[in-house]
Amino acid sequence: MKLGIVGLPNVGKSTLFNSLTKAGAESQNYPFCTIDPNIGMVPVPDGRLKLLSDFYNSKKITPAVVEFVDIAGLVKGASKGEGLGNQFLANIREVDAIVHVVRCFEDPNIIHVDGSVDPLRDIETITLELIFSDLEVLEKRIGRSQKAAMSDKALMKEVAVMKELRELLLDGNCAKTYEAGDKETEEFVHSLNLLTDKPVIYAANVSEDDIADDGAGNDMVAKVREYASGEGSEVFVICAKIEEDLAELDDDEKMMFLQDLGLQESGLDKLIRASYSLLGLTSFLTAGEKETRAWTIKKGTKAPQAAGKIHSDFERGFIKAEVVNYQELLDCGSYAAAREKGLVRMEGKDYVVQEGDVMLFRFNV
């Protein structure tokens, strides 16, 4: 899973990126301190892996991984060259979703580029810059495709779709609101990698005082939630400053710190949960003496395609999958005991993989 982090300068974007990835992106109280896209790989927190690893005495644990791309702070007019311009937006065209960090706290010591804090205005500013960036991409693509369509009639439909998208964007709408009408057109629109076609997760960055109740008493957070609900986006509340402090602690200290704050989970946990929900993802597990590992798949994935995540040969030669729920396996104390109780099932090609399945694939190539 690959997520792109965007936001205006000084909303806590790079502070959040630093705390999530511990990658050390520079973070200062002035605009444009992130002048290159920073990339960090983050393991997905999953307590099941340690339990399964102990169960099997695994030599290695391999969690699922999220790749974060942090983009330099955008400002109004970036598409026309204001600030650093929007040259960095190309770096997030390949991401699965966009994490839009929105400032929902007042602090006279932290400058806001527009002079006041207004999360909905900030969202509109960033969205317009993404629209302008998409328009630029479409103009170039339409120009190329129109010439090719003169000798290839199949391209004429694509040109027509792109022109419809262009009109939609010019009216201030996102590409995700385009009604494709058929699967082929829908797939073509997605293939354009337009930024406004991507799912969005809003990270409402609040003060330390507002984090304990998940921003329930914060009017700005309420506005962001209402806005996100209207477009089918996810929202999670975070305090980037607290996440920065958490990043310096080991696991035991982190747990104590969260408990002292009255929190059940870290911002990273919230973000992963929101990302999996928005993108329709789930995980299955493989375990043994060599390695215990988590694999991320789309909900609804069938056993052969899940096997293909491990190796294409597994999918090509798929025969059966041995499946047991991880908690039932642990409760039984051994794989043999789980098998005796009938909890280990043999599943075929039509089996839809469930969250928490521990799977062993049988294949023949």
Side-chain angles (χ1 to χ4, degrees):
M1 183 165 60
K2 191 172 181 178
L3 303 175
I5 304 179
V6 301
L8 289 170
N10 292 350
V11 296
K13 186 172 56 66
S14 290
T15 301
L16 175 60
F17 175 81
N18 288 352
S19 60
L20 293 178
T21 65
K22 300 182 185 178
E26 186 181 359
S27 176
Q28 297 294 338
N29 178 23
Y30 54 85
F32 316 125
C33 62
T34 310
I35 57 172
D36 290 307
N38 292 279
I39 297 175
M41 306 293 284
V42 183
V44 174
D46 191 338
R48 300 172 302 185
L49 294 176
K50 177 69 167 63
L51 296 173
L52 276 175
S53 175
D54 291 344
F55 186 88
Y56 280 98
N57 291 316
S58 303
K59 295 184 175 70
K60 182 181 176 186
I61 294 178
T62 306
V65 172
V66 179
E67 182 177 336
F68 288 102
V69 184
D70 179 32
I71 301 299
L74 296 171
V75 292
K76 191 172 184 178
S79 57
K80 299 180 179 67
E82 292 295 322
L84 292 171
N86 63 3
Q87 65 266 42
F88 300 115
L89 289 176
N91 294 288
I92 59 169
R93 291 214 173 270
E94 301 300 324
V95 301
D96 298 303
I98 291 173
V99 180
H100 185 165
V101 184
V102 186
R103 179 171 166 178
C104 293
F105 65 91
E106 297 281 0
D107 187 336
N109 297 315
I110 300 180
I111 305 158
H112 191 290
V113 290
D114 289 328
S116 62
V117 180
D118 181 344
L120 296 189
R121 179 198 60 209
D122 294 354
I123 288 172
E124 182 182 349
T125 296
I126 294 293
T127 302
L128 279 174
E129 294 310 318
L130 299 183
I131 286 173
F132 290 141
S133 181
D134 282 349
L135 280 168
E136 189 179 328
V137 168
L138 279 175
E139 290 291 356
K140 291 177 181 175
R141 182 76 180 259
I142 289 170
R144 291 198 305 269
S145 296
Q146 274 183 325
K147 292 179 182 176
M150 294 173 69
S151 56
D152 184 352
K153 300 300 181 186
L155 289 175
M156 291 178 67
K157 183 183 177 183
E158 292 185 0
V159 171
V161 169
M162 288 189 288
K163 286 182 175 180
E164 289 173 357
L165 278 167
R166 181 175 62 186
E167 291 306 309
L168 188 75
L169 294 170
L170 285 170
D171 286 339
N173 300 302
C174 292
K176 70 180 89 174
T177 64
Y178 180 74
E179 296 180 8
D182 60 76
K183 189 171 178 59
E184 183 184 350
T185 302
E186 184 180 336
E187 288 175 352
F188 170 68
V189 171
H190 291 331
S191 75
L192 294 170
N193 269 335
L194 298 175
L195 296 173
T196 60
D197 188 39
K198 297 184 183 299
V200 177
I201 304 164
Y202 293 102
N205 187 16
V206 301
S207 68
E208 295 173 49
D209 295 333
D210 283 338
I211 193 66
D213 65 355
D214 204 37
N218 185 311
D219 291 341
M220 290 185 277
V221 172
K223 289 178 181 177
V224 173
R225 283 182 166 139
E226 183 180 358
Y227 181 90
S229 175
E231 64 174 26
S233 296
E234 292 276 340
V235 178
F236 74 104
V237 176
I238 197 166
C239 174
K241 181 66 180 70
I242 287 175
E243 294 303 314
E244 191 174 36
D245 294 338
L246 280 170
E248 303 302 320
L249 306 177
D250 63 32
D251 289 344
D252 290 338
E253 291 173 328
K254 195 176 293 184
M255 191 62 65
M256 289 175 61
F257 186 54
L258 286 171
Q259 288 173 352
D260 288 343
L261 292 168
L263 301 176
Q264 300 295 317
E265 57 186 350
S266 70
L268 176 60
D269 293 329
K270 287 183 181 180
L271 176 53
I272 297 297
R273 191 156 41 79
S275 304
Y276 271 58
S277 171
L278 186 66
L279 296 171
L281 302 176
T282 188
S283 298
F284 73 92
L285 309 160
T286 54
E289 190 178 327
K290 286 185 178 180
E291 181 185 46
T292 292
R293 183 164 182 166
W295 304 85
T296 301
I297 55 171
K298 282 273 189 185
K299 285 180 181 176
T301 297
K302 293 185 177 179
Q305 287 69 50
K309 289 286 288 186
I310 300 173
H311 197 287
S312 57
D313 284 351
F314 285 25
E315 180 176 359
R316 188 157 51 92
F318 178 88
I319 301 172
K320 292 282 184 183
E322 285 189 25
V323 185
V324 60
N325 175 269
Y326 96 97
Q327 190 60 60
E328 291 178 342
L329 175 60
L330 295 179
D331 290 345
C332 287
S334 73
Y335 198 84
R339 191 191 292 277
E340 283 177 16
K341 290 185 177 182
L343 298 174
V344 178
R345 313 181 308 277
M346 296 297 289
E347 300 286 1
K349 292 182 178 181
D350 291 330
Y351 176 70
V352 176
V353 179
Q354 301 299 307
E355 173 70 31
D357 279 348
V358 180
M359 306 188 75
L360 174 65
F361 295 104
R362 301 194 178 282
F363 68 101
N364 180 33
V365 176

